[in-house]
Amino acid sequence: DTAVSQTPKYLVTQMGNDKSIKCEQNLGHDTMYWYKQDSKKFLKIMFSYNNKELIINETVPNRFSPKSPDKAHLNLHINSLELGDSAVYFCASSPSGQGETQYFGPGTRLLVL
Amino acid sequence: SQQGEEDPQALSIQEGENATMNCSYKTSINNLQWYRQNSGRGLVHLILIRSNEREKHSGRLRVTLDTSKKSSSLLITASRAADTASYFCATPGRSSASKIIFGSGTRLSIRP
């Protein structure tokens, strides 16, 4: 049983397109996160939701919009994709979002051409 | 901004040797975590050490924390090929307890 799953695993698309990445966790956690990992392996938080409420919204372009339909799901929609959006996007979850252990999904490798 | 910085950025050792990675951070923390990332995979939590702890062990892993020097080290003893991965330290965010900030990582290669 995969604790944190993401779909798709790979995403290759043209500049200007709109795409979505989905994340689901079956750990019963209250908090979920989206991270972006660039080519130099820097991992930067983008968003965090706690019980469907947005609690972290880092300096991210408005083209990125997270949505949490319930506390087990956190999706990321990206409008008007740009070359610089190419990266690996990781979803993660934690029990209560208080700086404790986070559980990561396998990542979605996005390549914008 | 980054909170933790790992050192060295890359480390290559012979199988069986010990590997030591260091992490320095900037502000007071109540815990520090270490994560491993195998190539093409997500991060996996290894160990969490609290600010009132000086040392913690988990199998072949030994983590130390020196809050006076704002530094932590991860020691992997008797390294194996499967230990080849990137290792990240992570500390709670300054502006929000809800987030953890990851360091830049140490890329560890174990030579057979």
Side-chain angles (χ1 to χ4, degrees):
Chain A
D1 289 341
T2 305
V4 182
S5 58
Q6 293 178 230
T7 53
K9 191 170 182 181
Y10 299 97
L11 190 50
V12 181
T13 187
Q14 297 288 329
M15 228 167 36
N17 283 351
D18 303 338
K19 289 293 177 187
S20 291
I21 308 171
K22 295 187 175 184
C23 178
E24 177 181 1
Q25 54 97 2
N26 62 8
L27 298 166
H29 289 168
D30 285 344
T31 308
M32 295 183 73
Y33 309 82
W34 277 113
Y35 288 88
K36 179 180 180 181
Q37 187 174 44
D38 63 23
S39 57
K40 294 184 178 177
K41 301 292 186 186
F42 284 119
L43 197 68
K44 189 174 178 187
I45 189 161
M46 301 172 70
F47 302 103
S48 177
Y49 271 75
N50 182 276
N51 257 320
K52 302 194 295 175
E53 182 184 342
L54 181 66
I55 55 170
I56 295 174
N57 185 352
E58 294 294 287
T59 309
V60 176
N62 290 339
R63 299 181 294 103
F64 290 80
S65 52
K67 279 204 174 75
S68 181
D70 55 64
K71 74 173 194 177
H73 295 85
L74 181 61
N75 304 323
L76 184 65
H77 188 76
I78 315 170
N79 288 327
S80 304
L81 278 155
E82 299 178 356
L83 295 176
D85 297 332
S86 295
V88 183
Y89 292 83
F90 287 100
C91 176
S93 73
S94 68
S96 61
Q98 292 302 309
E100 75 273 79
T101 300
Q102 294 186 10
Y103 297 79
F104 281 76
T108 295
R109 282 140 195 85
L110 171 65
L111 179 60
V112 182
L113 302 174
Chain B
S1 62
Q2 274 175 268
Q3 165 77 305
E5 286 285 340
E6 282 91 341
D7 171 57
Q9 287 189 334
L11 179 62
S12 179
I13 61 172
Q14 204 75 32
E15 193 168 13
E17 293 180 340
N18 296 342
T20 300
M21 288 158 270
N22 302 297
C23 170
S24 57
Y25 56 91
K26 296 172 186 170
T27 61
S28 297
I29 57 171
N30 55 19
N31 70 64
L32 183 143
Q33 302 180 52
W34 284 92
Y35 287 77
R36 182 188 73 229
Q37 184 180 29
N38 290 88
S39 181
R41 301 286 186 96
L43 279 74
V44 173
H45 178 257
L46 295 176
I47 204 162
L48 182 151
I49 186 166
R50 302 197 185 279
S51 57
N52 61 354
E53 298 175 305
R54 290 295 167 260
E55 192 171 306
K56 204 160 180 181
H57 296 253
S58 176
R60 293 183 295 113
L61 306 181
R62 174 180 162 240
V63 166
T64 62
L65 180 64
D66 187 333
T67 52
S68 65
K69 294 181 180 176
K70 292 188 171 56
S71 68
S72 173
S73 68
L74 170 66
L75 167 68
I76 304 174
T77 59
S79 63
R80 303 169 183 169
D83 295 328
T84 294
S86 291
Y87 292 82
F88 296 87
C89 67
T91 51
R94 283 174 283 179
S95 58
S96 170
S98 301
K99 65 179 178 183
I100 59 175
I101 309 294
F102 287 86
S104 49
T106 292
R107 290 163 189 69
L108 175 65
S109 297
I110 308 299
R111 302 190 303 272

